[in-house]
Amino acid sequence: MRINDEGGKEIPLFKVFMPESVIGPLRETLFSGYIGEGPRVEEFERRLAPWFGNGNVLALNNATAGIQLALRLAGVKPGDEVISTPMTCVATNQPILAMGAKVVWADIDPWTGNIDPESVAKKISPKTKAVIAVHWGGYPCDLDELNSLAKRHGIKIIEDASHAFGAEYHLKPVGAHSDFVVASFQAVKEMTTVDGGALICKSGPDHERGRLLRWYGMDRKNRPADLRCEEDIKEYGYKFHMNDVAAAIGIEQLKYVSDNIGKHCANAERYNEAFGDLGTVRILRYKNDRISSCWLYTLLVKDRSGFIEDMNASGIAASKVHTRNDRYSIFKDSLVGLPGVDEFEAEHVCIPVGWWLTEDDIRRVIDTVIRYDHSMRQMA
Ligand SMILES: Cc1ncc(COP(=O)(O)O)c(C=O)c1O
């Protein structure tokens, strides 16, 4: 992106949060003689449990792996169908192909970016095994509607909560509602372990089976002291576990994450107040029965490229962040008409909202957006 000609500094869309205090536990872990999956992973999982309102937490190497593991636990087999949204990172949908299943696209609500339960209902067939719901920007999907559909049809809900660490739906954390919930601790998320993720399972048996499948189908807990792998393997697994180095970072990060999410959401509130009545720039429509993690702040702007140019000229990053997945060749067999996606995809753009914004930054973002809106209205 360009920097303001008048010498303004760049305001990035994302920034890695890494506190100095991580160095102590990290050094201790690195030189402890044990850096694989061990006591720190267990501690991290215990500390994550309240964040998800659920103790069945499996720390993993990333969220993409978490989605594949969830699909496996949901019983998705080659030839099955999985209903999903194209309005997300490709990491949500590639695991469906990895399982040999077919992606069936559902439409989204163009005012939130989230999957529309009514569209999901129309896409359910005898081959449907699961639905993946992505909480765009951290704003939770209609989980009650999705879960009642799933119950009625005997299918599983997998929440891709990669944007939504710390979000709440109907007074309970995201993590406490569906069969499977996947979190991402990738570099620029509000909660990072450099790379990392978690799978949260509603049922104890899924959690126990997931624990085995994340490491070759073997039980690390019952390994003999001489590390022989003589126990039988009853089903194949993966190498999806988190290591103690990542977990040590995660444990430290958890001390700051609540504060950081609070800053994201306070900034989002400032924007909602400032942009609520503009003409050519529209804010998303959120219900107040749920709380977003505010990882992204998304606007709808007709002339998106002109808007991005204007923002960049003022030293402010702006981006679509994710592009619709249904147009990638790998998904060509799933192509269908999706008017809600067309509408959202034509106009959505994300602006900086994170903990790193200073008061000056927030004012500059607000002034630039308002100036853009006024100039567009004058031209109309
Ligand atoms: C919606 C969504 N799902 C999944 C992922 C993949 O996460 P990870 O990098 O932890 O595999 C991302 C990453 O940004 C994401 O935004």
Side-chain angles (χ1 to χ4, degrees), residues 61-65 67 88-89 91-92 134 160 162-163 183-186 189 195-197 295 322:
N61 54 355
N62 57 60
T64 315
I67 293 165
T88 182
C89 174
T92 305
V134 176
D160 178 350
S162 295
H163 296 182
S184 171
F185 308 133
Q186 175 264 345
K189 297 287 159 46
D195 254 324
W295 182 58
H322 299 310

Side-chain angles (χ1 to χ4, degrees), residues 48-328:
L48 282 170
W51 282 92
F52 298 121
N54 183 336
N56 293 333
V57 180
L58 295 167
L60 303 173
N61 54 355
N62 57 60
T64 315
I67 293 165
Q68 188 168 349
L69 188 51
L71 289 165
R72 174 86 182 274
L73 293 170
V76 173
K77 302 224 159 49
D80 287 339
E81 293 179 357
V82 177
I83 299 173
S84 185
T85 167
M87 213 51 247
T88 182
C89 174
V90 285
T92 305
N93 293 312
Q94 291 217 15
I96 303 172
L97 301 184
M99 298 305 291
K102 182 177 180 204
V103 178
V104 173
W105 300 122
D107 208 353
I108 60 165
D109 174 351
W111 285 104
T112 63
N114 283 349
I115 201 163
D116 172 7
E118 281 183 26
S119 173
V120 171
K122 289 182 199 146
K123 304 293 173 109
I124 293 171
S125 84
K127 288 187 177 169
T128 308
K129 278 281 167 56
V131 176
I132 305 184
V134 176
H135 308 305
W136 177 273
Y139 175 76
C141 293
D142 295 327
L143 292 175
D144 280 356
E145 288 84 347
L146 291 169
N147 275 296
S148 72
L149 264 180
K151 215 172 180 182
R152 207 166 338 126
H153 293 275
I155 57 183
K156 302 287 183 187
I157 297 292
I158 299 168
E159 291 176 46
D160 178 350
S162 295
H163 296 182
F165 187 81
E168 284 181 26
Y169 177 85
H170 290 182
L171 303 175
K172 281 200 244 161
V174 161
H177 299 274
S178 303
D179 304 296
F180 304 103
V181 181
V182 178
S184 171
F185 308 133
Q186 175 264 345
V188 297
K189 297 287 159 46
E190 282 164 304
M191 166 68 214
T192 183
T193 59
V194 180
D195 254 324
L199 172 64
I200 300 93
C201 301
K202 178 155 256 176
S203 93
D206 280 339
H207 174 244
E208 190 47 30
R209 185 171 164 228
R211 193 173 67 76
L212 302 184
L213 296 189
R214 83 170 157 185
W215 199 72
Y216 304 123
M218 297 172 83
D219 193 348
R220 289 172 72 90
K221 271 195 190 152
N222 296 333
R223 276 197 304 171
D226 63 2
L227 303 181
R228 276 175 295 122
C229 296
E230 285 176 3
E231 168 206 354
D232 187 26
I233 300 172
K234 300 200 175 60
E235 56 174 340
Y236 80 90
Y238 312 94
K239 191 167 190 255
F240 283 174
H241 66 282
M242 179 174 277
N243 63 59
D244 265 20
V245 179
I249 296 171
I251 292 165
E252 198 57 29
Q253 288 269 349
L254 280 177
K255 297 176 185 164
Y256 302 87
V257 68
S258 178
D259 226 41
N260 285 341
I261 294 172
K263 287 178 188 162
H264 278 244
C265 290
N267 294 340
E269 202 41 51
R270 296 274 300 275
Y271 291 165
N272 285 339
E273 281 164 21
F275 306 148
D277 295 324
L278 300 184
T280 65
V281 172
R282 291 167 303 151
I283 64 172
L284 299 185
R285 292 182 186 165
Y286 285 172
K287 293 184 183 150
N288 57 14
D289 63 346
R290 60 200 83 177
I291 301 173
S292 175
S293 65
C294 311
W295 182 58
L296 298 176
Y297 188 87
T298 308
L299 290 167
L300 301 173
V301 186
K302 283 222 167 353
D303 166 35
R304 177 173 46 212
S305 39
F307 175 84
I308 292 176
E309 251 178 53
D310 240 48
M311 296 293 279
N312 289 178
S314 295
I316 302 162
S319 160
K320 288 165 67 177
V321 179
H322 299 310
T323 198
R324 63 189 302 167
N325 290 183
D326 54 335
R327 300 293 160 87
Y328 291 122

